[in-house]
Amino acid sequence: MLSHARTEMEVIRELAYDDRSYRDLTRTWFNNSYLYELIRLLAGNGIRLVLTTDHGTIRVQNPVKVVGDRKSSTNLRYKQGRNLSYPARNVYDITDPKKIHLPMSNVSTSYIFAGANDYLVYPNNYNHFVNLYRNTFQHGGISMEEMLIPCVIMKPV
C-alpha cells in the first residue's frame, strides 16, 4: 500500500523521497502496525510463522519509450500487445510467448520486460508520465529485486 501511495500522493512522495527514507517510513509503519503486534503474539504462543511476498519492487529512474496499439497493457515494467515498437537494447523481448508458456491473446502477441531501473512509457503524455513515475517503486520487470521471492521462517525463541 505504501509503495502505491508513494506514486499517487505527493505527501508520501516527499516523506519517502529516496530509498533510505522509504525504508525508514516502512520500518516506522511496521513498528506501529497490527502486523507487528500479531507477529509478537504468535511468537509468544510458540507458533512458527512463514512470511513471504508475491514479488519485490525496484525504484525506477530511466524512462524507455514504447509504442503499442490500444490493447497493449499499461504496466510500467512490462508490456504485452501486438506490434510493440521499442528500443531493443533497453528491454528483454519475447516474440514467441508459447516457448516460455506465456499467454497469447492472438498470433502476433509479444511481451517486453524492463530491466535494471528502467520503466516503459507510451508516447501519449510522455513527459507527464515520465515525471509522475520517476523515482517510484514498481514491479513486473526482470530485475533481481523483482524476480527473487523472499521467504523467512520465524521460530519463537
Side-chain angles (χ1 to χ4, degrees), residues 69-117:
D69 65 18
R70 288 182 175 205
K71 293 183 180 181
S72 298
S73 62
T74 59
N75 189 286
L76 293 172
R77 296 283 292 158
Y78 77 90
K79 301 286 186 199
Q80 171 199 13
R82 299 180 313 160
N83 305 318
L84 294 173
S85 176
Y86 49 86
R89 71 185 180 284
N90 294 99
V91 301
Y92 180 75
D93 60 348
I94 308 289
T95 55
D96 188 0
K98 287 186 306 190
K99 285 186 178 179
I100 61 169
H101 307 286
L102 286 173
M104 292 179 59
S105 55
N106 61 55
V107 112
S108 60
T109 296
S110 63
Y111 289 80
I112 57 173
F113 296 89
N117 57 357

Side-chain angles (χ1 to χ4, degrees), residues 25-37 39:
L25 184 60
T26 304
R27 185 178 303 108
T28 299
W29 167 83
F30 177 73
N31 288 336
N32 296 287
S33 71
Y34 292 117
L35 177 61
Y36 186 50
E37 282 184 43
I39 291 170

